[in-house]
Amino acid sequence: MEKSEILALIDSLSVEEKIGQLVQLTGDFFADGTETTVTGPIKKLGLHQGYNIYHTGSILNITNAEEIIKIQDKYLKNSTHKIPLLFMADIIYGFRTIFPIPLAQTCSWNFDLIEEAASVSAKECYEEGVHVTFAPMVDIVRDPRWGRVMESPGEDPLIAELYAQRVIQGIQGKDSEQKIPADKIAGCVKHFAAYGAPVAGREYNAVDMSEHTLREVYLPSYLAAVKAKVKLVMTAFNTLNGIPSTGNEWLNKKILREEFGFAGVLISDYAAVEELITHGYANGAKEAAHLALKATVDIDMKTSVFANELAGVVQSDEQMMTLLNEAVYRIVSLKNELGLFEDPYRGLKNKSAESSSILSVKHKETALRLSEESIVLLKNDGILPLEKDKKVAIIGPYHDETSTLGMWAIKGDVKDTITLKEGINKISEADHHQFCRGSHLLEKGSTQSLGKYEEQIPNEPISQDELIEEAVKVAENVDIVILALGESIYQSGEGGSRTDLTLPKPQQELFESIRALNKSLITIIYSGRPLILTDVEKQSNALIQAWFPGTMGGEALARILYGVTNPSGKLSMSFPRSMGQIPVYYSELNTGRPNLAENGFYRFASRYIDESNQPLYPFGYGISYTTFRYKNISLNKKQMTHHDELIVTVEVENVGNYDGDEIVQLYLKDRFGSTARPIKILKDFKKVFIKKGETKSISFTIVEEQLKIYRNDMSYASELGQFDVFIGSNSEDLPLKETFELVGE
Ligand code: GLC
């Protein structure tokens, strides 16, 4: 439809019909027989009795073709203006082919592959009739206590910007400004804004930060999403500096729409419009509706506030009526861009089962590659890669676990998972290794804290002591033990904030029992966040961070264990040495009294008296089976103007025995600024394949745009002066350094 036709359609709608477009409900409202009765979901949600279910604009989390067709059919038959329903769902990192959790994906630093994975997810969604996915989540996170760190891109703005841009391209296609093509769907970036910085890492807690930190660290990834033409933005649950994001006019209207130029659909998070009351920000439902609409929220996800109150809010209030019309226009335009007016089923009705690409060999191959590149080798004293003739025991709750898909794999089916055991059996002869559970996953009695997920925790028919006893017996008969340990996926994700990030107690007991045997020990960690691995690291010959690696995780791990694949992952988030360090991240300020090693023990420096300042593993860290040596940094000039390009060149030599990928990282330090500058910021990187014995020359181009900062007057601009350039293999190991000066126009 043309814009004029959309406007004409909107003009023909009653106020009630317009309001209905702003309402998002779940599919149960359209189950046979419920939509007319006032009992059931209508009553439960508190929808007013006159609400016409066939005015509703969109449906949440119905994700199979048959049900979508059925609901759309019923809706179109019963609705006057036949504006098709939008179907939206949480397909965050995979539909049926499940990829590693986003925090793992960004450890690949391979954004071509990340985009390919998003494209696979979009295609599988398209084939089942989903129109909108609530991805990418791009909240920056520096605090691993927060459970949703698993679905975030980690601590760094540049990584998060690239993740936002490339996932949206994968989901929507590259030129989705007008029409969203077949095999693509609409993306929804979330959660606007700064949801990843709750006080004390506690879920849904307040977020309080300076505008300077908000703009320099937390907003860039959302801006990158808007620049990538994301179709929807989702508001965050949290207050930002005292004002709930969902009712925050400064955030949503001034920043998102006016400053960023976002003209798409702004959807609330689940029940967040009604929660404006709970926040103590809206004095009742009518004020909540008023504040959300004024903050240009277009869709009220799963509450009755818009449905019940907007008619009163817009009555005899021209400004609010205009806002309502603008919201309807954005929603109907999105449906138009998806082609729903031409085909409300987007090809569903004539798709053939044979043409399904769901869980295809190609899709699983993409998942395998991304899983391999997301896994991070943290320690290796040479025990890896394993020799195939070694007798190996694989012990632990994750030795043969299918539940390794992470918390936001709502369509994933664990029966599709390749477990560690299956992966190893694919690679190495079965008589060379033994498997056993070794310990309980979680401490008895600790699972009620997991709420509704408690019943998902496997019961443990065998006692912890018997499991340990069996594990010791098995371990005594082998050369090498692989311990497959970690947190439960239900200790991670939404509502999964934790105050103790060490391994669950039963697994610590297993670790100590096996350690006492003095066998060579390889520890694999499954988790949705950085755990505290300081003791585990000390006592393991090798340590691998597997994250929740998705459908193909077991095969990816086995290929790395046996050297079929040389690991290349690098951490997108720092691993604390202890809980007391949190938040610990690489791009910190220098302070007036930096704790410099050369000062030795100096009490009056920015330090702890009982812990190091340094994380156990820094941002950007990950090792390979080979060794890369950095040398010969050079600049094409020592001074640059605003219009120059400064070229930094280094050489990286593979001096080890394996071909491998190395992620060469470039950090900048702005020596002086009108605001204190971080000791380093990642400004570029290149993932390069270097054969053993080969040396590669790698160049980076620095432009003035990369030197811009938020100044003390909050303007965004570069400032003249000196910059340090550091290049190396992670944010701490930066052997090559040069300096240059920005000298002006
Ligand atoms: C959840 C999450 C959000 C998700 C939405 C719909 O509470 O905060 O990320 O997209 O509700 O399920």
Side-chain angles (χ1 to χ4, degrees):
M1 283 203 294
E2 296 304 321
K3 179 171 180 176
S4 56
E5 294 173 282
I6 294 175
L7 292 172
L9 171 61
I10 293 171
D11 268 351
S12 71
L13 301 180
S14 67
V15 169
E16 282 300 330
E17 287 169 321
K18 290 178 180 177
I19 290 169
Q21 286 299 313
L22 280 61
V23 176
Q24 180 170 97
L25 300 174
T26 40
D28 53 316
F29 283 75
F30 291 86
D32 291 339
T34 51
E35 72 275 17
T36 47
T37 61
V38 290
T39 58
I42 290 178
K43 181 164 186 288
K44 195 163 162 240
L45 195 68
L47 285 168
H48 69 82
Q49 298 210 354
Y51 180 73
N52 181 340
I53 201 81
Y54 295 105
H55 292 167
T56 304
S58 57
I59 300 292
L60 170 64
N61 278 341
I62 296 293
T63 54
N64 69 73
E66 192 186 330
E67 220 176 331
I68 286 173
I69 290 173
K70 192 172 169 195
I71 292 174
Q72 191 75 283
D73 273 348
K74 180 188 274 193
Y75 181 89
L76 293 174
K77 201 181 304 158
N78 289 282
S79 84
T80 312
H81 288 85
K82 307 203 180 306
I83 302 173
L85 282 166
L86 272 173
F87 287 86
M88 307 191 187
D90 288 296
I91 308 300
I92 317 299
Y93 50 91
F95 187 76
R96 283 293 308 280
T97 305
I98 303 300
F99 294 94
I101 56 172
L103 186 61
Q105 290 190 30
T106 50
C107 291
S108 73
W109 299 49
N110 183 341
F111 290 92
D112 291 341
L113 190 50
I114 287 172
E115 179 176 338
E116 185 184 330
S119 182
V120 164
S121 300
K123 184 164 169 51
E124 293 191 357
C125 281
Y126 175 81
E127 289 184 11
E128 282 298 308
V130 173
H131 302 145
V132 175
T133 179
F134 296 130
M137 187 275 215
V138 300
D139 303 323
I140 292 286
V141 188
R142 291 170 159 176
D143 187 336
R145 290 173 294 182
W146 189 53
R148 300 191 72 167
V149 61
M150 50 76 63
E151 60 181 298
S152 84
E155 72 183 61
D156 180 72
L158 176 63
I159 295 291
E161 288 174 270
L162 288 168
Y163 181 75
Q165 179 202 358
R166 302 301 294 276
V167 168
I168 289 158
Q169 283 181 187
I171 291 171
Q172 297 183 175
K174 286 198 170 52
D175 50 357
S176 58
E177 193 133 12
Q178 300 313 320
K179 286 289 182 199
I180 297 175
D183 290 346
K184 298 297 181 186
I185 61 175
C188 174
V189 68
K190 66 188 185 183
H191 306 78
F192 197 67
Y195 177 29
V199 169
R202 201 182 78 214
E203 184 63 282
Y204 311 127
N205 205 357
V207 171
D208 225 275
M209 63 177 68
S210 69
E211 184 180 342
H212 185 266
T213 298
L214 177 71
R215 286 182 175 279
E216 280 223 336
V217 179
Y218 290 87
L219 288 186
S221 53
Y222 305 111
L223 174 56
V226 173
K227 286 180 175 173
K229 307 298 178 200
V230 71
K231 294 296 178 184
L232 296 94
V233 174
M234 183 185 292
T235 67
F237 286 122
N238 53 280
T239 54
L240 175 62
N241 300 333
I243 299 179
S245 302
T246 304
N248 195 320
E249 211 176 328
W250 175 80
L251 190 62
N252 297 334
K253 198 159 175 240
K254 184 181 176 308
I255 302 288
L256 179 64
R257 293 202 186 276
E258 292 167 8
E259 194 175 308
F260 286 9
F262 177 66
V265 172
L266 181 62
I267 183 170
S268 80
D269 201 338
Y270 194 100
V273 171
E274 193 164 60
E275 287 174 7
L276 294 178
I277 304 167
T278 320
H279 277 290
Y281 185 65
N283 180 7
K286 185 168 182 182
E287 188 177 17
H290 186 274
L291 289 167
L293 188 63
K294 205 149 172 291
T296 74
V297 171
D298 298 315
I299 296 179
D300 173 6
M301 185 191 290
K302 198 67 191 309
T303 88
S304 57
V305 170
F306 273 13
N308 291 354
E309 304 297 341
L310 275 186
V313 166
V314 302
Q315 197 176 17
S316 65
D317 183 330
E318 247 181 72
Q319 188 209 1
M320 297 312 282
M321 189 66 224
T322 303
L323 288 171
L324 172 61
N325 284 326
E326 288 169 354
V328 178
Y329 177 77
R330 291 189 285 260
I331 295 163
V332 174
S333 297
L334 174 60
K335 297 182 179 187
N336 190 43
E337 287 159 18
L338 281 158
L340 291 181
F341 289 99
E342 289 75 27
D343 175 7
Y345 307 92
R346 295 198 86 209
L348 270 191
K349 287 213 166 178
N350 46 33
K351 81 178 180 112
S352 64
E354 301 68 51
S355 67
S356 169
S357 71
I358 289 176
L359 281 167
S360 66
V361 170
K362 186 172 178 299
H363 286 184
K364 288 197 279 191
E365 198 278 330
T366 301
L368 176 61
R369 278 188 294 128
L370 187 48
S371 192
E372 286 178 323
E373 294 197 34
S374 302
I375 289 165
V376 185
L377 179 62
L378 298 173
K379 179 180 181 181
N380 180 26
D381 68 359
I383 190 172
L384 289 174
L386 285 174
E387 289 150 32
K388 288 199 175 176
D389 62 348
K390 291 284 183 204
K391 290 181 70 181
V392 181
I394 299 92
I395 301 172
Y398 278 99
H399 78 288
D400 191 25
E401 179 56 64
T402 56
S403 182
T404 55
L405 306 181
M407 268 297 280
W408 277 112
I410 65 169
K411 282 293 283 184
D413 187 333
V414 292
K415 74 170 174 33
D416 301 322
T417 305
I418 305 286
T419 69
L420 180 58
K421 178 175 182 178
E422 289 164 341
I424 288 174
N425 284 336
K426 272 182 102 168
I427 287 206
S428 165
E429 294 71 38
D431 61 357
H432 276 71
H433 32 256
Q434 299 175 58
F435 298 87
C436 67
R437 184 170 177 78
S439 87
H440 290 170
L441 176 68
L442 299 175
E443 210 169 0
K444 280 264 184 239
S446 71
T447 55
Q448 74 278 5
S449 63
L450 301 177
K452 73 173 189 173
Y453 299 117
E454 183 174 16
E455 70 258 18
Q456 306 288 334
I457 300 298
N459 62 4
E460 305 273 6
I462 304 171
S463 77
Q464 172 74 358
D465 290 347
E466 288 171 291
L467 287 171
I468 297 269
E469 194 180 332
E470 180 200 19
V472 168
K473 277 206 192 85
V474 165
E476 280 167 339
N477 298 320
V478 298
D479 310 314
I480 296 171
V481 176
I482 296 175
L483 283 179
L485 311 174
E487 66 176 350
S488 158
I489 68 165
Y490 300 107
Q491 291 180 290
S492 160
E494 184 168 357
S497 290
R498 297 175 63 196
T499 60
D500 174 3
L501 301 185
T502 57
L503 282 169
K505 296 265 181 308
Q507 296 182 50
Q508 292 183 30
E509 187 185 358
L510 170 64
F511 186 87
E512 281 141 30
S513 305
I514 299 299
R515 190 68 229 131
L517 304 175
N518 278 324
K519 296 280 180 180
S520 294
L521 180 55
I522 298 161
T523 304
I524 298 174
I525 300 293
Y526 287 80
S527 68
R529 55 171 37 105
L531 296 180
I532 303 295
L533 302 174
T534 310
D535 293 340
V536 168
E537 188 270 345
K538 264 191 220 121
Q539 304 179 69
S540 301
N541 299 85
L543 181 59
I544 297 175
Q545 175 64 28
W547 304 108
F548 291 125
T551 304
M552 303 303 287
E555 185 165 345
L557 274 165
R559 289 164 60 88
I560 284 173
L561 285 168
Y562 284 94
V564 176
T565 298
N566 185 359
S568 61
K570 299 231 182 205
L571 296 177
S572 52
M573 187 170 182
S574 309
F575 273 53
R577 203 175 286 276
S578 60
M579 291 303 292
Q581 287 184 312
I582 292 172
V584 59
Y585 50 91
Y586 84 91
S587 55
E588 59 181 10
L589 298 185
N590 203 33
T591 78
R593 296 191 175 187
N595 185 42
L596 303 175
E598 58 263 31
N599 293 351
F601 177 87
Y602 177 58
R603 179 170 179 106
F604 304 103
S606 178
R607 54 188 289 280
Y608 304 100
I609 58 175
D610 59 355
E611 181 57 279
S612 154
N613 287 6
Q614 287 351 94
L616 180 64
Y617 297 112
F619 171 82
Y621 177 86
I623 57 177
S624 165
Y625 291 148
T626 191
T627 306
F628 296 101
R629 183 170 299 144
Y630 286 69
K631 54 190 184 182
N632 303 336
I633 184 170
S634 63
L635 305 183
N636 68 334
K637 59 183 75 170
K638 292 290 276 181
Q639 293 189 330
M640 71 178 282
T641 67
H642 284 207
H643 313 291
D644 270 340
E645 287 188 346
L646 184 103
I647 313 292
V648 187
T649 305
V650 299
E651 288 184 339
V652 180
E653 183 184 5
N654 180 341
V655 296
N657 301 318
Y658 293 87
D659 298 345
D661 284 308
E662 172 66 344
I663 300 167
V664 181
Q665 299 160 44
L666 181 148
Y667 297 81
L668 286 187
K669 158 83 176 140
D670 184 345
R671 284 196 183 174
F672 304 96
S674 60
T675 52
R677 308 309 310 149
I679 57 174
K680 66 194 81 165
I681 299 183
L682 180 72
K683 287 296 179 183
D684 203 349
F685 61 88
K686 285 205 167 77
K687 187 165 190 174
V688 288
F689 178 73
I690 308 177
K691 287 182 173 303
K692 64 183 180 191
E694 186 187 16
T695 296
K696 272 198 174 166
S697 173
I698 296 128
S699 291
F700 297 94
T701 300
I702 295 175
V703 294
E704 186 253 350
E705 182 61 33
Q706 290 169 287
L707 311 182
K708 288 182 177 176
I709 65 171
Y710 281 93
R711 309 175 67 203
N712 55 1
D713 62 358
M714 289 310 282
S715 63
Y716 187 59
S718 61
E719 296 179 338
L720 305 186
Q722 286 195 308
F723 292 80
D724 294 321
V725 188
F726 307 100
I727 292 186
S729 62
N730 65 67
S731 59
E732 279 182 6
D733 181 12
L734 296 165
L736 303 181
K737 179 181 170 185
E738 256 293 357
T739 58
F740 68 89
E741 190 175 2
L742 180 65
V743 293
E745 296 292 338

